[in-house]
Amino acid sequence: MSTIADALGVSTATVSLALRDSPLVADETRERIKDHARQIGYIYNRRAASLRTRRSGILGVVVHDIMNPFYAEILRSIEAELDRSRQTFILSNHYDQLDKQRTFIDTLLQLGADGVIMSPAIGTPREDIETAENNGLPAVLIARTVKGAGVPVFRGDDAYGIGLATNHLISLGHRRIIMIGGTDQTSTGRHRYRGYVAAMERAGLRVDPSWRIPGPRTKQAGFEVAGQFLSHKDKPTAAVCWNDLIAIGLMNGIARAGLVPGVDISVTGYDDLEEASIATPALTTVWNGQREVGRRAARVLLDRLSGIEVEPTQELIKPELHVRQSTTQPVERD
Amino acid sequence: MSTIADALGVSTATVSLALRDSPLVADETRERIKDHARQIGYIYNRRAASLRTRRSGILGVVVHDIMNPFYAEILRSIEAELDRSRQTFILSNHYDQLDKQRTFIDTLLQLGADGVIMSPAIGTPREDIETAENNGLPAVLIARTVKGAGVPVFRGDDAYGIGLATNHLISLGHRRIIMIGGTDQTSTGRHRYRGYVAAMERAGLRVDPSWRIPGPRTKQAGFEVAGQFLSHKDKPTAAVCWNDLIAIGLMNGIARAGLVPGVDISVTGYDDLEEASIATPALTTVWNGQREVGRRAARVLLDRLSGIEVEPTQELIKPELHVRQSTTQPVERD
DNA sequence: CGGTTGTATTAAACCGTTTAAATCGGGTTA
DNA sequence: TAACCCGATTTAAACGGTTTAATACAACCG
């Protein structure tokens, strides 16, 4: 800026004001300055500016794993929403490791980030969120919640959603339905399992504890669990899967074992990823409102930044059942 | 820092030196300062520091699309490599839009990023890379190259790799092999097509121009192109796909049409994503060295930052063929 | 005891921007 | 004619660190 100022015989203050279209500077001066800036390829130094303004234009986003299409879809919608603002965002995976998450938050604080959207790692204590907030880093949670953290949360209504899938299988005539994947260590996990049990019990079906096969939420895991599922002593006719990845992996595993998914075994997914509709057979699944979650989380964070007071409420997005070919009436096998 | 300095009756210079473990300050003083800093929850202000040091600790990474597992795997290895350095990285998709890519580079310049790893968008002119370099933003290219840009490039040997897949099909007895997906607008695209044609011609097989169905590189696209493929006038018995996503989509499409992929039609992929081995049938594909590409690009960029002179050479990583169940001897159909 | 050496600390400049307050010259008004 | 106002611009002080030359002081030496 001082180069420009010197070249044009004005002060840096004028340059600063001119470049930001302040009405304080005369039109003619502004044009001269802007022209010259363009000509010499001036590059605005954001960190110098942010030192003064206390705004860095950086937002952080932490999720479990970007490679997981569920989060990827959320990220897409966050990206789309932020595109229209002047914010840059920094991404990180925490892989459910608390220390990774803490390191990242610390980095954000050091960079003077303006806010953070996070899907908290398993076991995140309320204090971690408070640390961020107290140091001027407003947070918004997605997908998972942290008890007692006074910040907005956006997530799907998991208990209700898994209920939709379970009810659908029951209404097709299935009785021995096993739930696959997930863990009790996340709020999401507890909600989904509870929703499944509740739906079964509403239909008068007893749920055996062995009717749950917990595990990682990957395609690979679903694939590998197929054997265990098929050889289960109760001969289940259907699987309610934690998510689409597991469901697709499971269907692949079932096919590999010589059975036909969607005929011999019914399978439901969760999330309704793009993939679900092109899987073979096309997967019956629950749309979880990823787009909506990302969009609204971003929106609310931007609101918080612009000073709008936001209630720290939990917003539950209502899932919808999308029926496709992976669920049919049960057939007896053995 | 001045808070700490005042509280302890020393100068900010001493605090600065102590916190960075300078040998200039006495051990006892250092400890007092560090303890106090920890106690009051001091947060290092990176932007203030970078103003003086001209190092921001930020690296940029731009690829076509993070959601594409091929890039996701590269990102993973970049992340792993960078984890050990003190650099944070910022990610962006360009979706092959030049203006998006330019905006991002501009953002990096404004943030004073220390370097950028990029898989350049289609049509990226040499000048764009030079702009970055001239403004102190060293670049390293991955997956694709830009003619005349004097920077290091890491990519797989596409012509050789696709040749492996093509030769494999030919040796199984296939003669009418169609290439699916990709575009001539990227260097990768040209190399792969050339490799396919070369392999065919080496085997004395004429390639008809209609034996190429270009298109997007997504599962969806592969799925949708199945009809066109199956009804091709030359009754192809095998498909060499641009990548695993297309191959898997195509196999799903073939299955949907009532044929059995891996029996009626042989299919090869490219990239060897995790998914390839659990697809049904398991996909024969070409491992493209994603891990290696990411790791080495990150390594070289870090080298450049620490002042080590790096030759701007193209490094070709040798792909390997992984044979699985999606390729078998041809069967005649009609 | 003056001079040298070495260690610990500090003052001050600097990085590039923003902004509140001050300045300046010219026009208006009482 | 003095007082005041106005728009355009400048001044100077932040913002929070890093860096380097300078300083203070103690110990050692001959």
Side-chain angles (χ1 to χ4, degrees), chain B residues 302-331:
Chain B
L302 292 178
D303 281 353
R304 289 195 70 180
L305 297 189
S306 57
I308 299 175
E309 203 58 48
V310 175
E311 291 292 304
T313 53
Q314 292 228 5
E315 293 235 27
L316 284 186
I317 284 140
K318 273 271 174 271
E320 297 166 12
L321 182 69
H322 291 182
V323 177
R324 301 205 180 90
Q325 282 77 55
S326 68
T327 47
T328 52
Q329 296 181 354
V331 297

Side-chain angles (χ1 to χ4, degrees), chain A residues 300-329:
Chain A
V300 161
L301 187 55
L302 291 177
D303 281 353
R304 288 194 70 180
L305 296 190
S306 57
I308 298 175
E309 205 59 49
V310 175
E311 291 291 304
T313 51
Q314 293 229 4
E315 293 235 26
L316 286 186
I317 285 141
K318 272 271 172 272
E320 295 167 14
L321 182 70
H322 290 181
V323 177
R324 302 205 179 89
Q325 281 78 57
S326 69
T327 48
T328 52
Q329 295 180 355

Side-chain angles (χ1 to χ4, degrees), chain B:
Chain B
M1 268 183 17
S2 65
T3 311
I4 301 178
D6 291 351
L8 266 48
V10 296
S11 73
T12 59
T14 308
V15 176
S16 171
L17 294 169
L19 290 178
R20 282 174 304 135
D21 289 322
S22 159
L24 289 178
V25 11
D27 291 350
E28 189 254 332
T29 315
R30 186 201 341 281
E31 286 317 312
R32 277 203 305 146
I33 290 175
K34 285 190 153 184
D35 280 353
H36 191 72
R38 200 168 309 122
Q39 203 191 318
I40 67 167
Y42 165 74
I43 292 170
Y44 180 73
N45 187 326
R46 279 216 225 174
R47 26 207 219 302
S50 80
L51 207 50
R52 187 81 228 262
T53 60
R54 313 357 303 276
R55 279 298 210 94
S56 63
I58 294 177
L59 292 184
V61 180
V62 219
V63 296
H64 176 274
D65 181 4
I66 326 179
M67 263 181 80
N68 181 324
F70 170 71
Y71 289 112
E73 289 194 8
I74 292 185
L75 291 177
R76 274 260 222 275
S77 59
I78 293 179
E79 181 188 28
E81 195 64 29
L82 260 35
D83 238 22
R84 278 176 281 149
S85 72
R86 305 221 41 65
Q87 305 277 333
T88 311
F89 70 98
I90 304 188
L91 224 53
S92 181
N93 302 315
H94 56 55
Y95 303 116
D96 274 328
Q97 294 164 27
L98 270 181
D99 60 327
K100 270 200 169 265
Q101 178 173 284
R102 288 199 182 115
T103 305
F104 184 66
I105 294 204
D106 197 49
T107 300
L108 290 179
L109 289 173
Q110 294 189 7
L111 291 173
D114 299 332
V116 62
I117 296 177
M118 55 190 292
S119 176
I122 290 177
T124 303
R126 197 177 79 234
E127 289 75 16
D128 282 17
I129 313 278
E130 282 164 359
T131 304
E133 290 265 336
N134 292 339
N135 287 295
L137 184 70
V140 171
L141 303 185
I142 51 176
R144 297 176 183 172
T145 181
V146 168
K147 234 193 316 193
V151 298
V153 183
F154 296 88
R155 59 184 190 84
D157 188 338
D158 293 296
Y160 174 79
I162 208 81
L164 292 178
T166 313
N167 288 340
H168 168 66
L169 288 170
I170 293 171
S171 73
L172 283 171
H174 293 273
R175 293 294 171 264
R176 298 187 306 282
I177 306 171
I178 285 193
M179 176 154 186
I180 296 186
T183 159
D184 262 350
Q185 297 180 275
T186 63
S187 56
T188 315
R190 289 186 294 273
H191 293 140
R192 291 204 188 155
Y193 184 59
R194 224 182 286 148
Y196 153 75
V197 172
M200 293 292 275
E201 288 177 348
R202 266 197 307 277
L205 301 171
R206 222 192 95 270
V207 175
D208 190 90
S210 77
W211 287 16
R212 181 184 199 194
I213 309 181
R217 290 144 297 190
T218 62
K219 218 176 266 189
Q220 188 71 40
F223 182 74
E224 284 166 3
V225 91
Q228 187 184 345
F229 173 82
L230 291 173
S231 59
H232 190 284
K233 62 177 169 31
D234 290 329
K235 295 196 168 60
T237 61
V240 172
C241 297
W242 165 277
N243 66 13
D244 288 354
L245 295 180
I246 294 175
I248 292 172
L250 179 70
M251 293 202 303
N252 282 328
I254 290 170
R256 196 64 70 83
L259 292 173
V260 183
V263 176
D264 299 313
I265 301 285
S266 286
V267 177
T268 65
Y270 207 101
D271 291 345
D272 197 17
L273 304 179
E274 265 179 33
E275 278 199 69
S277 60
I278 66 175
T280 307
L283 183 66
T284 295
T285 184
V286 178
W287 174 81
N288 199 9
Q290 294 87 294
R291 289 278 155 72
E292 202 56 16
V293 167
R295 211 176 55 73
R296 289 167 67 175
R299 184 76 60 86
V300 161
L301 187 55
L302 292 178
D303 281 353
R304 289 195 70 180
L305 297 189
S306 57
I308 299 175
E309 203 58 48
V310 175
E311 291 292 304
T313 53
Q314 292 228 5
E315 293 235 27
L316 284 186
I317 284 140
K318 273 271 174 271
E320 297 166 12
L321 182 69
H322 291 182
V323 177
R324 301 205 180 90
Q325 282 77 55
S326 68
T327 47
T328 52
Q329 296 181 354
V331 297
E332 287 305 319
R333 55 185 178 99
D334 55 359

Side-chain angles (χ1 to χ4, degrees), chain A residues 1 16 42 45 52:
Chain A
M1 273 186 14
S16 170
Y42 163 76
N45 186 325
R52 189 78 229 266

